[in-house]
Amino acid sequence: MARSLNSVVRRLVRYFSSAASSLALLGAVSAGAVIEQDRETFEAVRKADLELATIGWRLSVPNASLCDRLEPGLGLQLHTLDQFDSDSRAAAGTYFGFATPVAVEGVVAGSPAERGGIRADDSLVRVGSIDIASLPGKPGTTQRLVATQLAIAALAPDAPIEVEVIRAGAPIKVTVQPVPACRSRFELLLSSGYNARADGTMVQISSQFLEEYTPEQAAAAVAHEFSHNILHHRDRLEARGVDFGMLSGFGTNVKYFRQTELQADLLSVYLLANAGYSPRASIDFWKRFGPSKAGGIFRSRSHPHWRDRVATLEAEIAKLETISARPMIPSLIAERSQPLSGDWQSLLIRAR
């Protein structure tokens, strides 16, 4: 990549004091014809989006047996022309060759989509029974993109899917044989800060993790957030009536958030190991991230100290290293339908 993702982010941030997502940041791209600066920016974002999609793919497919909500794993990274600011939409349309509202930004290497013959910059017309143009979505928003992702996720996880695309102006039909995958969207947030969250259906992580950390350490951060979705933590926290945001560090909220954080830590090492990553990537991540990034009075109340998290992960990794079966399924999976107890102390091992 000619320009690093960080330099792209810095360039875009000059135009914006804040941004909710990469979709908003892309509005800084120049309007009109595709110039070299546009190409570098578009490709930097495509590369980062596909890197996150690949991590998500690697975690979702081998861990399908740990998930009770499945989708057809295709290996597609999709985007929409509506996500671009009106000033950059013409350049994006030209560069990516949008012929329909939703197109293929990238294809995960070795995935069913790649084996089926789908290529980057193919424009989606139909996926199985889904007519892409008929899906709802307000212009200038990502609503149709999200509707497309959710509609595809609702298809049978292992039945062949006929996909119709437009490629270089010509209609093409291919049949893709998906594989079952854990149901979750993975979204990149273009940001020079460190942000990561999961809402039950989506994992969002900022580009800074991909830029500053090794691929395995970034995968560890994604695996932690993904664990929240697999364990239905959002639903279970809401069932307990907790307060989110700054209030998460006060009152009875604390014990529930600490429990979910530790459960996500513990499950993440199993997800990493099942996916072929080193589970110790989680240790490496926290030793690098924790000292300077995991502080703050409010965060420290709702999240265990990073040194204690490392000690807890070390102990769990020692356990899983004695297990030969694959995939490894921890007991946490069987408990996800139960109400949160707030018992985080029994999960935590204190650092010495």
Side-chain angles (χ1 to χ4, degrees):
M1 180 168 54
R3 123 190 347 239
S4 73
L5 188 59
N6 261 346
S7 67
V8 170
V9 171
R10 285 194 296 270
R11 173 188 166 219
L12 298 180
V13 168
R14 284 201 299 270
Y15 291 83
F16 292 87
S17 59
S18 65
S21 70
S22 61
L23 311 179
L25 284 165
L26 279 168
V29 179
S30 302
V34 182
I35 60 176
E36 186 57 33
Q37 196 172 45
D38 291 336
R39 291 188 179 93
E40 291 180 350
T41 300
F42 289 146
E43 283 304 322
V45 174
R46 191 208 299 262
K47 182 177 184 294
D49 278 340
L50 189 57
E51 184 176 348
L52 177 56
T54 300
I55 292 172
W57 172 261
R58 285 190 61 181
L59 291 171
S60 298
V61 174
N63 287 297
S65 59
L66 280 68
C67 297
D68 59 351
R69 300 169 182 172
L70 298 176
E71 65 179 32
L74 298 174
L76 291 176
Q77 173 61 30
L78 304 180
H79 62 167
T80 175
L81 194 56
D82 279 323
Q83 73 190 56
F84 296 91
D85 181 86
S86 58
D87 290 337
S88 62
R89 201 166 291 149
T94 298
Y95 185 78
F96 293 112
F98 276 95
T100 64
V102 178
V104 179
E105 184 183 17
V107 179
V108 174
S111 67
E114 184 185 61
R115 292 194 298 271
I118 297 178
R119 302 177 188 173
D121 297 338
D122 285 348
S123 294
L124 290 183
V125 175
R126 186 178 295 277
V127 179
S129 59
I130 305 163
D131 179 5
I132 303 301
S134 69
L135 293 174
K138 183 179 178 181
T141 74
T142 59
Q143 291 175 2
R144 183 175 282 156
L145 174 62
V146 173
T148 299
Q149 294 168 326
L150 293 176
I152 293 173
L155 296 174
D158 54 4
I161 300 174
E162 185 176 81
V163 180
E164 183 179 350
V165 303
I166 295 176
R167 179 182 302 161
I172 295 174
K173 290 183 180 180
V174 300
T175 298
V176 179
Q177 176 60 59
V179 294
C182 297
R183 185 179 297 189
S184 193
R185 298 186 293 115
F186 295 88
E187 181 179 291
L188 182 71
L189 170 70
L190 278 187
S191 170
S192 56
Y194 292 93
N195 302 285
R197 69 185 185 95
D199 67 1
T201 63
M202 177 191 70
V203 170
Q204 184 186 73
I205 189 168
S206 63
S207 56
Q208 190 74 357
F209 287 101
L210 302 183
E211 185 73 11
E212 296 297 329
Y213 288 77
T214 69
E216 288 214 337
Q217 289 167 359
V222 175
H224 172 87
E225 299 301 329
F226 190 28
S227 294
H228 284 307
N229 286 353
I230 293 174
L231 294 172
H232 307 329
H233 278 159
R234 184 78 185 195
D235 293 342
R236 294 163 73 191
L237 285 167
E238 289 178 349
R240 281 298 186 188
V242 303
D243 293 309
F244 292 88
M246 292 184 64
L247 293 177
S248 64
F250 295 92
T252 58
N253 298 317
V254 173
K255 63 182 181 180
Y256 296 122
F257 279 104
R258 287 196 171 193
Q259 182 183 12
T260 59
E261 284 300 306
L262 287 167
Q263 286 184 347
D265 281 349
L266 295 172
L267 179 56
S268 72
V269 296
Y270 291 89
L271 300 184
L272 290 168
N274 289 337
Y277 292 107
S278 169
R280 295 198 64 82
S282 60
I283 302 293
D284 297 337
F285 170 78
W286 279 109
K287 284 184 175 180
R288 184 174 174 186
F289 182 83
S292 61
K293 306 294 191 311
I297 184 170
F298 298 117
R299 187 171 183 82
S300 64
R301 288 176 62 88
S302 60
H303 291 60
H305 193 281
W306 70 266
R307 288 191 180 91
D308 292 338
R309 299 177 85 153
V310 167
T312 302
L313 287 166
E314 291 273 15
E316 197 67 21
I317 290 170
K319 293 179 186 177
L320 69 84
E321 286 177 343
T322 66
I323 303 172
S324 58
R326 290 295 185 276
M328 293 179 285
I329 304 177
S331 59
L332 284 169
I333 295 299
E335 299 170 9
R336 67 175 157 214
S337 61
Q338 301 173 12
L340 292 170
S341 66
D343 177 16
W344 59 271
Q345 293 94 336
S346 66
L347 300 175
L348 186 72
I349 294 179
R350 300 285 185 181
R352 296 180 179 180

